[in-house]
Amino acid sequence: MTIESSPSLFDIAPSLAVEGDDRTPLLPVRHPNQDLFICDVLDAIPKDDMASMEHPVFSLSTKPDNRMRRYEHNGNIIEIIPSGKGLATIHDKDILIYCISQLVAKMNHGEQPGRTLRLQAYDMLVATNRQTSGAGYRLLTDALTRLRGTTVRTNIQTGGIEETRIFGLIEEARITRKTFDGRMLDLEITLSDWVYRSVISKNVLTLHRDYFRLRKPFERRMYELARKHCGMKDEWKIGLELLQKKCGSNSPLRVFRSLVKKVCAHDTSHAHFPDYAITMADDIILFRNRLSLKTKIDVIAPMRDAPYIDPETMHDAKTVAPGYDIYALHDEWVSWWHDMGKPELKSPAGAFIGFCKKRHERNPIR
């Protein structure tokens, strides 16, 4: 992979290198008592598209980033061109993740959603653990502007099709209703065809909800890469230089090494990193799956006389039924399916997730 960008700009260091910062690595849960009318919206498990998880499309800077970037890797070329407002940031990506999650939720219910989503701004802020103050709405407007203004030129393959395309991360955003003081209430977001195709082709992965609580943009990017490459495996290793390139960083290697060490030290102290434990030795970063699901998934996959449940759905089940043994829940669900006369299921994954969710609602494990 080669990267072309201005070497004078220092991208991720300001977001990590805060001397004397003794805060916990996770943001507080800002909305612990969520309003009942948005519960159905929040049922959508966070999903991310694998193409933008693999390639460093989003800026990790906490300041306006006006660099044009070009990446090449394994025959893929991607150029990210900022607007006057700068590149879209990884925090702006929360909006895309929320939209993708809504599309996947609709697909799990048998719908064929279009590229335009009609959303309530408050729901989006709550689901992504953002502030719902006036500042929160202003930041949301700025994020939509950067997503629309950032241009991607790429030959990356999505949905089995390879072509060179030039597009924005979203095609359009329209605020359809405001309050008397100017806060947005309802909005419409039209996704780019590239993102939409990734979702319809099911090139998406589940994110842990604590992804939205990670304070540091760099940690979000590390989590995306671990989720993409480690997934349900027991562990995944990556060299420091390759990790730096996949993060889109042009920091000096010694500085980048120091930043990674800090993340590893924080995880050793707080075990805060979602899904994976992180360590580093001899410039090799090791991500270890906290759930150690590999061997149990291998048992479930070939199970006969039962609807097939893929590993991603098992991860989803763990998300909606925290604290439960999802394999015991799977056995109960299969028994229920047999007792019901083995009905044909339009979406076995959606049926199993609904089963786990209801069990957790009836008897949550604290």
Side-chain angles (χ1 to χ4, degrees), residues 247-278:
C247 288
S249 167
N250 65 344
S251 306
L253 186 62
R254 61 179 178 77
V255 175
F256 187 79
R257 181 184 294 111
S258 175
L259 300 179
V260 175
K261 284 183 178 179
K262 286 184 180 181
V263 174
C264 294
H266 283 161
D267 189 59
T268 299
S269 300
H270 300 279
H272 72 289
F273 202 80
D275 289 332
Y276 310 99
I278 321 171

PDB file of all heavy atoms in Angstrom, residues 247-278:
ATOM      1  N   CYS A 247      -4.336   2.785   8.813  1.00  0.00           N
ATOM      2  CA  CYS A 247      -4.978   3.874   9.559  1.00  0.00           C
ATOM      3  C   CYS A 247      -4.895   5.199   8.802  1.00  0.00           C
ATOM      4  O   CYS A 247      -5.526   6.173   9.196  1.00  0.00           O
ATOM      5  CB  CYS A 247      -4.329   4.028  10.934  1.00  0.00           C
ATOM      6  SG  CYS A 247      -4.736   2.698  12.086  1.00  0.00           S
ATOM      7  N   GLY A 248      -4.109   5.243   7.730  1.00  0.00           N
ATOM      8  CA  GLY A 248      -3.968   6.483   6.979  1.00  0.00           C
ATOM      9  C   GLY A 248      -3.113   7.504   7.687  1.00  0.00           C
ATOM     10  O   GLY A 248      -3.257   8.705   7.459  1.00  0.00           O
ATOM     11  N   SER A 249      -2.200   7.044   8.540  1.00  0.00           N
ATOM     12  CA  SER A 249      -1.370   7.968   9.315  1.00  0.00           C
ATOM     13  C   SER A 249      -0.056   8.235   8.607  1.00  0.00           C
ATOM     14  O   SER A 249       0.571   7.326   8.075  1.00  0.00           O
ATOM     15  CB  SER A 249      -1.088   7.363  10.695  1.00  0.00           C
ATOM     16  OG  SER A 249      -0.067   8.081  11.352  1.00  0.00           O
ATOM     17  N   ASN A 250       0.380   9.496   8.622  1.00  0.00           N
ATOM     18  CA  ASN A 250       1.710   9.836   8.132  1.00  0.00           C
ATOM     19  C   ASN A 250       2.588  10.362   9.254  1.00  0.00           C
ATOM     20  O   ASN A 250       3.560  11.081   9.029  1.00  0.00           O
ATOM     21  CB  ASN A 250       1.635  10.844   6.977  1.00  0.00           C
ATOM     22  CG  ASN A 250       1.066  12.190   7.417  1.00  0.00           C
ATOM     23  OD1 ASN A 250       0.464  12.292   8.483  1.00  0.00           O
ATOM     24  ND2 ASN A 250       1.245  13.212   6.594  1.00  0.00           N
ATOM     25  N   SER A 251       2.247   9.992  10.493  1.00  0.00           N
ATOM     26  CA  SER A 251       3.091  10.343  11.632  1.00  0.00           C
ATOM     27  C   SER A 251       4.424   9.604  11.518  1.00  0.00           C
ATOM     28  O   SER A 251       4.499   8.532  10.921  1.00  0.00           O
ATOM     29  CB  SER A 251       2.410   9.917  12.939  1.00  0.00           C
ATOM     30  OG  SER A 251       1.111  10.435  13.036  1.00  0.00           O
ATOM     31  N   PRO A 252       5.482  10.130  12.103  1.00  0.00           N
ATOM     32  CA  PRO A 252       6.722   9.365  12.184  1.00  0.00           C
ATOM     33  C   PRO A 252       6.465   8.034  12.884  1.00  0.00           C
ATOM     34  O   PRO A 252       5.660   7.954  13.821  1.00  0.00           O
ATOM     35  CB  PRO A 252       7.643  10.267  13.023  1.00  0.00           C
ATOM     36  CG  PRO A 252       7.093  11.649  12.818  1.00  0.00           C
ATOM     37  CD  PRO A 252       5.615  11.478  12.688  1.00  0.00           C
ATOM     38  N   LEU A 253       7.143   6.993  12.444  1.00  0.00           N
ATOM     39  CA  LEU A 253       6.875   5.655  12.971  1.00  0.00           C
ATOM     40  C   LEU A 253       7.069   5.583  14.487  1.00  0.00           C
ATOM     41  O   LEU A 253       6.296   4.933  15.196  1.00  0.00           O
ATOM     42  CB  LEU A 253       7.768   4.623  12.283  1.00  0.00           C
ATOM     43  CG  LEU A 253       7.491   3.157  12.646  1.00  0.00           C
ATOM     44  CD1 LEU A 253       6.074   2.765  12.229  1.00  0.00           C
ATOM     45  CD2 LEU A 253       8.515   2.230  11.988  1.00  0.00           C
ATOM     46  N   ARG A 254       8.080   6.308  14.999  1.00  0.00           N
ATOM     47  CA  ARG A 254       8.331   6.260  16.443  1.00  0.00           C
ATOM     48  C   ARG A 254       7.155   6.869  17.218  1.00  0.00           C
ATOM     49  O   ARG A 254       6.807   6.394  18.307  1.00  0.00           O
ATOM     50  CB  ARG A 254       9.627   6.988  16.781  1.00  0.00           C
ATOM     51  CG  ARG A 254       9.628   8.460  16.399  1.00  0.00           C
ATOM     52  CD  ARG A 254      10.911   9.174  16.775  1.00  0.00           C
ATOM     53  NE  ARG A 254      10.886  10.577  16.351  1.00  0.00           N
ATOM     54  CZ  ARG A 254      10.232  11.527  16.973  1.00  0.00           C
ATOM     55  NH1 ARG A 254       9.545  11.237  18.074  1.00  0.00           N
ATOM     56  NH2 ARG A 254      10.243  12.777  16.515  1.00  0.00           N
ATOM     57  N   VAL A 255       6.539   7.904  16.651  1.00  0.00           N
ATOM     58  CA  VAL A 255       5.386   8.518  17.309  1.00  0.00           C
ATOM     59  C   VAL A 255       4.189   7.585  17.230  1.00  0.00           C
ATOM     60  O   VAL A 255       3.458   7.402  18.211  1.00  0.00           O
ATOM     61  CB  VAL A 255       5.059   9.881  16.661  1.00  0.00           C
ATOM     62  CG1 VAL A 255       3.787  10.471  17.271  1.00  0.00           C
ATOM     63  CG2 VAL A 255       6.217  10.845  16.846  1.00  0.00           C
ATOM     64  N   PHE A 256       3.979   6.995  16.058  1.00  0.00           N
ATOM     65  CA  PHE A 256       2.869   6.063  15.902  1.00  0.00           C
ATOM     66  C   PHE A 256       3.027   4.883  16.862  1.00  0.00           C
ATOM     67  O   PHE A 256       2.056   4.419  17.462  1.00  0.00           O
ATOM     68  CB  PHE A 256       2.812   5.566  14.458  1.00  0.00           C
ATOM     69  CG  PHE A 256       1.605   4.728  14.145  1.00  0.00           C
ATOM     70  CD1 PHE A 256       0.371   5.311  13.906  1.00  0.00           C
ATOM     71  CD2 PHE A 256       1.701   3.346  14.107  1.00  0.00           C
ATOM     72  CE1 PHE A 256      -0.746   4.543  13.637  1.00  0.00           C
ATOM     73  CE2 PHE A 256       0.587   2.560  13.839  1.00  0.00           C
ATOM     74  CZ  PHE A 256      -0.638   3.174  13.596  1.00  0.00           C
ATOM     75  N   ARG A 257       4.263   4.402  17.017  1.00  0.00           N
ATOM     76  CA  ARG A 257       4.520   3.289  17.940  1.00  0.00           C
ATOM     77  C   ARG A 257       4.110   3.673  19.357  1.00  0.00           C
ATOM     78  O   ARG A 257       3.492   2.885  20.086  1.00  0.00           O
ATOM     79  CB  ARG A 257       5.990   2.909  17.897  1.00  0.00           C
ATOM     80  CG  ARG A 257       6.348   1.739  18.812  1.00  0.00           C
ATOM     81  CD  ARG A 257       7.851   1.462  18.819  1.00  0.00           C
ATOM     82  NE  ARG A 257       8.313   0.999  17.523  1.00  0.00           N
ATOM     83  CZ  ARG A 257       9.109   1.705  16.715  1.00  0.00           C
ATOM     84  NH1 ARG A 257       9.516   2.933  17.068  1.00  0.00           N
ATOM     85  NH2 ARG A 257       9.499   1.205  15.562  1.00  0.00           N
ATOM     86  N   SER A 258       4.440   4.883  19.756  1.00  0.00           N
ATOM     87  CA  SER A 258       4.092   5.356  21.095  1.00  0.00           C
ATOM     88  C   SER A 258       2.588   5.411  21.287  1.00  0.00           C
ATOM     89  O   SER A 258       2.065   5.050  22.351  1.00  0.00           O
ATOM     90  CB  SER A 258       4.706   6.734  21.325  1.00  0.00           C
ATOM     91  OG  SER A 258       4.307   7.274  22.570  1.00  0.00           O
ATOM     92  N   LEU A 259       1.860   5.837  20.239  1.00  0.00           N
ATOM     93  CA  LEU A 259       0.402   5.912  20.331  1.00  0.00           C
ATOM     94  C   LEU A 259      -0.210   4.533  20.494  1.00  0.00           C
ATOM     95  O   LEU A 259      -1.130   4.336  21.293  1.00  0.00           O
ATOM     96  CB  LEU A 259      -0.147   6.597  19.082  1.00  0.00           C
ATOM     97  CG  LEU A 259       0.341   8.026  18.812  1.00  0.00           C
ATOM     98  CD1 LEU A 259      -0.271   8.563  17.525  1.00  0.00           C
ATOM     99  CD2 LEU A 259       0.032   8.940  19.985  1.00  0.00           C
ATOM    100  N   VAL A 260       0.301   3.566  19.737  1.00  0.00           N
ATOM    101  CA  VAL A 260      -0.219   2.202  19.838  1.00  0.00           C
ATOM    102  C   VAL A 260       0.069   1.631  21.226  1.00  0.00           C
ATOM    103  O   VAL A 260      -0.778   0.969  21.837  1.00  0.00           O
ATOM    104  CB  VAL A 260       0.382   1.308  18.741  1.00  0.00           C
ATOM    105  CG1 VAL A 260      -0.057  -0.142  18.932  1.00  0.00           C
ATOM    106  CG2 VAL A 260      -0.030   1.804  17.364  1.00  0.00           C
ATOM    107  N   LYS A 261       1.250   1.903  21.742  1.00  0.00           N
ATOM    108  CA  LYS A 261       1.593   1.416  23.083  1.00  0.00           C
ATOM    109  C   LYS A 261       0.627   1.970  24.130  1.00  0.00           C
ATOM    110  O   LYS A 261       0.239   1.270  25.075  1.00  0.00           O
ATOM    111  CB  LYS A 261       3.026   1.810  23.428  1.00  0.00           C
ATOM    112  CG  LYS A 261       4.095   0.963  22.744  1.00  0.00           C
ATOM    113  CD  LYS A 261       5.491   1.384  23.194  1.00  0.00           C
ATOM    114  CE  LYS A 261       6.554   0.497  22.553  1.00  0.00           C
ATOM    115  NZ  LYS A 261       7.928   0.905  22.964  1.00  0.00           N
ATOM    116  N   LYS A 262       0.251   3.249  23.963  1.00  0.00           N
ATOM    117  CA  LYS A 262      -0.695   3.841  24.920  1.00  0.00           C
ATOM    118  C   LYS A 262      -2.049   3.149  24.869  1.00  0.00           C
ATOM    119  O   LYS A 262      -2.674   2.902  25.900  1.00  0.00           O
ATOM    120  CB  LYS A 262      -0.851   5.334  24.632  1.00  0.00           C
ATOM    121  CG  LYS A 262       0.344   6.179  25.048  1.00  0.00           C
ATOM    122  CD  LYS A 262       0.075   7.655  24.817  1.00  0.00           C
ATOM    123  CE  LYS A 262       1.269   8.500  25.239  1.00  0.00           C
ATOM    124  NZ  LYS A 262       1.027   9.947  25.040  1.00  0.00           N
ATOM    125  N   VAL A 263      -2.504   2.843  23.658  1.00  0.00           N
ATOM    126  CA  VAL A 263      -3.780   2.138  23.529  1.00  0.00           C
ATOM    127  C   VAL A 263      -3.696   0.769  24.204  1.00  0.00           C
ATOM    128  O   VAL A 263      -4.607   0.370  24.948  1.00  0.00           O
ATOM    129  CB  VAL A 263      -4.170   1.991  22.053  1.00  0.00           C
ATOM    130  CG1 VAL A 263      -5.422   1.118  21.920  1.00  0.00           C
ATOM    131  CG2 VAL A 263      -4.420   3.354  21.424  1.00  0.00           C
ATOM    132  N   CYS A 264      -2.606   0.047  23.968  1.00  0.00           N
ATOM    133  CA  CYS A 264      -2.430  -1.263  24.579  1.00  0.00           C
ATOM    134  C   CYS A 264      -2.372  -1.160  26.103  1.00  0.00           C
ATOM    135  O   CYS A 264      -2.962  -1.986  26.818  1.00  0.00           O
ATOM    136  CB  CYS A 264      -1.165  -1.932  24.042  1.00  0.00           C
ATOM    137  SG  CYS A 264      -1.207  -2.357  22.292  1.00  0.00           S
ATOM    138  N   ALA A 265      -1.668  -0.146  26.608  1.00  0.00           N
ATOM    139  CA  ALA A 265      -1.577   0.033  28.056  1.00  0.00           C
ATOM    140  C   ALA A 265      -2.941   0.347  28.664  1.00  0.00           C
ATOM    141  O   ALA A 265      -3.301  -0.173  29.724  1.00  0.00           O
ATOM    142  CB  ALA A 265      -0.582   1.156  28.374  1.00  0.00           C
ATOM    143  N   HIS A 266      -3.715   1.202  27.979  1.00  0.00           N
ATOM    144  CA  HIS A 266      -5.063   1.515  28.471  1.00  0.00           C
ATOM    145  C   HIS A 266      -5.941   0.279  28.481  1.00  0.00           C
ATOM    146  O   HIS A 266      -6.731   0.065  29.404  1.00  0.00           O
ATOM    147  CB  HIS A 266      -5.698   2.601  27.597  1.00  0.00           C
ATOM    148  CG  HIS A 266      -5.193   3.971  27.874  1.00  0.00           C
ATOM    149  ND1 HIS A 266      -5.320   5.010  26.982  1.00  0.00           N
ATOM    150  CD2 HIS A 266      -4.552   4.493  28.949  1.00  0.00           C
ATOM    151  CE1 HIS A 266      -4.793   6.106  27.500  1.00  0.00           C
ATOM    152  NE2 HIS A 266      -4.317   5.822  28.684  1.00  0.00           N
ATOM    153  N   ASP A 267      -5.818  -0.559  27.455  1.00  0.00           N
ATOM    154  CA  ASP A 267      -6.647  -1.761  27.415  1.00  0.00           C
ATOM    155  C   ASP A 267      -6.232  -2.739  28.497  1.00  0.00           C
ATOM    156  O   ASP A 267      -7.076  -3.421  29.082  1.00  0.00           O
ATOM    157  CB  ASP A 267      -6.560  -2.423  26.037  1.00  0.00           C
ATOM    158  CG  ASP A 267      -7.575  -3.539  25.885  1.00  0.00           C
ATOM    159  OD1 ASP A 267      -8.786  -3.248  26.007  1.00  0.00           O
ATOM    160  OD2 ASP A 267      -7.174  -4.689  25.664  1.00  0.00           O
ATOM    161  N   THR A 268      -4.939  -2.823  28.792  1.00  0.00           N
ATOM    162  CA  THR A 268      -4.481  -3.691  29.878  1.00  0.00           C
ATOM    163  C   THR A 268      -5.059  -3.233  31.208  1.00  0.00           C
ATOM    164  O   THR A 268      -5.456  -4.040  32.052  1.00  0.00           O
ATOM    165  CB  THR A 268      -2.940  -3.693  29.945  1.00  0.00           C
ATOM    166  OG1 THR A 268      -2.413  -4.200  28.712  1.00  0.00           O
ATOM    167  CG2 THR A 268      -2.451  -4.559  31.098  1.00  0.00           C
ATOM    168  N   SER A 269      -5.158  -1.918  31.379  1.00  0.00           N
ATOM    169  CA  SER A 269      -5.661  -1.360  32.644  1.00  0.00           C
ATOM    170  C   SER A 269      -7.175  -1.394  32.746  1.00  0.00           C
ATOM    171  O   SER A 269      -7.728  -1.630  33.825  1.00  0.00           O
ATOM    172  CB  SER A 269      -5.175   0.085  32.798  1.00  0.00           C
ATOM    173  OG  SER A 269      -3.771   0.166  32.811  1.00  0.00           O
ATOM    174  N   HIS A 270      -7.870  -1.146  31.632  1.00  0.00           N
ATOM    175  CA  HIS A 270      -9.319  -0.948  31.678  1.00  0.00           C
ATOM    176  C   HIS A 270     -10.127  -2.025  30.937  1.00  0.00           C
ATOM    177  O   HIS A 270     -11.348  -2.082  31.121  1.00  0.00           O
ATOM    178  CB  HIS A 270      -9.681   0.414  31.072  1.00  0.00           C
ATOM    179  CG  HIS A 270      -9.066   1.579  31.771  1.00  0.00           C
ATOM    180  ND1 HIS A 270      -9.580   2.117  32.931  1.00  0.00           N
ATOM    181  CD2 HIS A 270      -7.953   2.312  31.472  1.00  0.00           C
ATOM    182  CE1 HIS A 270      -8.829   3.143  33.317  1.00  0.00           C
ATOM    183  NE2 HIS A 270      -7.835   3.282  32.453  1.00  0.00           N
ATOM    184  N   ALA A 271      -9.469  -2.827  30.091  1.00  0.00           N
ATOM    185  CA  ALA A 271     -10.180  -3.822  29.270  1.00  0.00           C
ATOM    186  C   ALA A 271     -11.354  -3.161  28.548  1.00  0.00           C
ATOM    187  O   ALA A 271     -12.450  -3.694  28.477  1.00  0.00           O
ATOM    188  CB  ALA A 271     -10.658  -4.989  30.119  1.00  0.00           C
ATOM    189  N   HIS A 272     -11.072  -1.971  27.986  1.00  0.00           N
ATOM    190  CA  HIS A 272     -12.155  -1.169  27.430  1.00  0.00           C
ATOM    191  C   HIS A 272     -12.387  -1.417  25.951  1.00  0.00           C
ATOM    192  O   HIS A 272     -13.453  -1.093  25.432  1.00  0.00           O
ATOM    193  CB  HIS A 272     -11.811   0.319  27.602  1.00  0.00           C
ATOM    194  CG  HIS A 272     -10.717   0.789  26.685  1.00  0.00           C
ATOM    195  ND1 HIS A 272      -9.399   0.420  26.847  1.00  0.00           N
ATOM    196  CD2 HIS A 272     -10.736   1.588  25.572  1.00  0.00           C
ATOM    197  CE1 HIS A 272      -8.661   0.972  25.900  1.00  0.00           C
ATOM    198  NE2 HIS A 272      -9.442   1.681  25.104  1.00  0.00           N
ATOM    199  N   PHE A 273     -11.410  -1.980  25.262  1.00  0.00           N
ATOM    200  CA  PHE A 273     -11.505  -2.111  23.813  1.00  0.00           C
ATOM    201  C   PHE A 273     -12.568  -3.152  23.466  1.00  0.00           C
ATOM    202  O   PHE A 273     -12.525  -4.277  23.957  1.00  0.00           O
ATOM    203  CB  PHE A 273     -10.149  -2.539  23.242  1.00  0.00           C
ATOM    204  CG  PHE A 273      -9.965  -2.199  21.794  1.00  0.00           C
ATOM    205  CD1 PHE A 273      -9.619  -0.920  21.411  1.00  0.00           C
ATOM    206  CD2 PHE A 273     -10.146  -3.160  20.815  1.00  0.00           C
ATOM    207  CE1 PHE A 273      -9.432  -0.599  20.073  1.00  0.00           C
ATOM    208  CE2 PHE A 273      -9.966  -2.850  19.484  1.00  0.00           C
ATOM    209  CZ  PHE A 273      -9.612  -1.569  19.107  1.00  0.00           C
ATOM    210  N   PRO A 274     -13.556  -2.792  22.648  1.00  0.00           N
ATOM    211  CA  PRO A 274     -14.668  -3.725  22.391  1.00  0.00           C
ATOM    212  C   PRO A 274     -14.212  -4.995  21.679  1.00  0.00           C
ATOM    213  O   PRO A 274     -13.404  -4.956  20.740  1.00  0.00           O
ATOM    214  CB  PRO A 274     -15.605  -2.905  21.486  1.00  0.00           C
ATOM    215  CG  PRO A 274     -15.217  -1.478  21.707  1.00  0.00           C
ATOM    216  CD  PRO A 274     -13.752  -1.496  21.993  1.00  0.00           C
ATOM    217  N   ASP A 275     -14.702  -6.124  22.122  1.00  0.00           N
ATOM    218  CA  ASP A 275     -14.560  -7.435  21.470  1.00  0.00           C
ATOM    219  C   ASP A 275     -13.161  -8.034  21.535  1.00  0.00           C
ATOM    220  O   ASP A 275     -13.016  -9.259  21.542  1.00  0.00           O
ATOM    221  CB  ASP A 275     -14.992  -7.384  20.003  1.00  0.00           C
ATOM    222  CG  ASP A 275     -16.483  -7.224  19.819  1.00  0.00           C
ATOM    223  OD1 ASP A 275     -17.238  -7.664  20.699  1.00  0.00           O
ATOM    224  OD2 ASP A 275     -16.895  -6.637  18.809  1.00  0.00           O
ATOM    225  N   TYR A 276     -12.121  -7.210  21.571  1.00  0.00           N
ATOM    226  CA  TYR A 276     -10.762  -7.731  21.450  1.00  0.00           C
ATOM    227  C   TYR A 276      -9.845  -7.129  22.511  1.00  0.00           C
ATOM    228  O   TYR A 276      -9.973  -5.966  22.864  1.00  0.00           O
ATOM    229  CB  TYR A 276     -10.175  -7.429  20.064  1.00  0.00           C
ATOM    230  CG  TYR A 276     -11.083  -7.830  18.937  1.00  0.00           C
ATOM    231  CD1 TYR A 276     -11.884  -6.882  18.298  1.00  0.00           C
ATOM    232  CD2 TYR A 276     -11.171  -9.154  18.520  1.00  0.00           C
ATOM    233  CE1 TYR A 276     -12.748  -7.246  17.274  1.00  0.00           C
ATOM    234  CE2 TYR A 276     -12.033  -9.523  17.499  1.00  0.00           C
ATOM    235  CZ  TYR A 276     -12.821  -8.569  16.877  1.00  0.00           C
ATOM    236  OH  TYR A 276     -13.682  -8.943  15.880  1.00  0.00           O
ATOM    237  N   ALA A 277      -8.912  -7.958  23.005  1.00  0.00           N
ATOM    238  CA  ALA A 277      -7.837  -7.472  23.863  1.00  0.00           C
ATOM    239  C   ALA A 277      -6.625  -7.196  22.981  1.00  0.00           C
ATOM    240  O   ALA A 277      -6.345  -7.947  22.047  1.00  0.00           O
ATOM    241  CB  ALA A 277      -7.496  -8.511  24.926  1.00  0.00           C
ATOM    242  N   ILE A 278      -5.899  -6.108  23.272  1.00  0.00           N
ATOM    243  CA  ILE A 278      -4.792  -5.681  22.415  1.00  0.00           C
ATOM    244  C   ILE A 278      -3.483  -5.696  23.188  1.00  0.00           C
ATOM    245  O   ILE A 278      -3.402  -5.165  24.305  1.00  0.00           O
ATOM    246  CB  ILE A 278      -4.991  -4.253  21.881  1.00  0.00           C
ATOM    247  CG1 ILE A 278      -6.435  -3.975  21.505  1.00  0.00           C
ATOM    248  CG2 ILE A 278      -4.066  -3.989  20.703  1.00  0.00           C
ATOM    249  CD1 ILE A 278      -6.671  -2.525  21.184  1.00  0.00           C
TER     250      ILE A 278
END
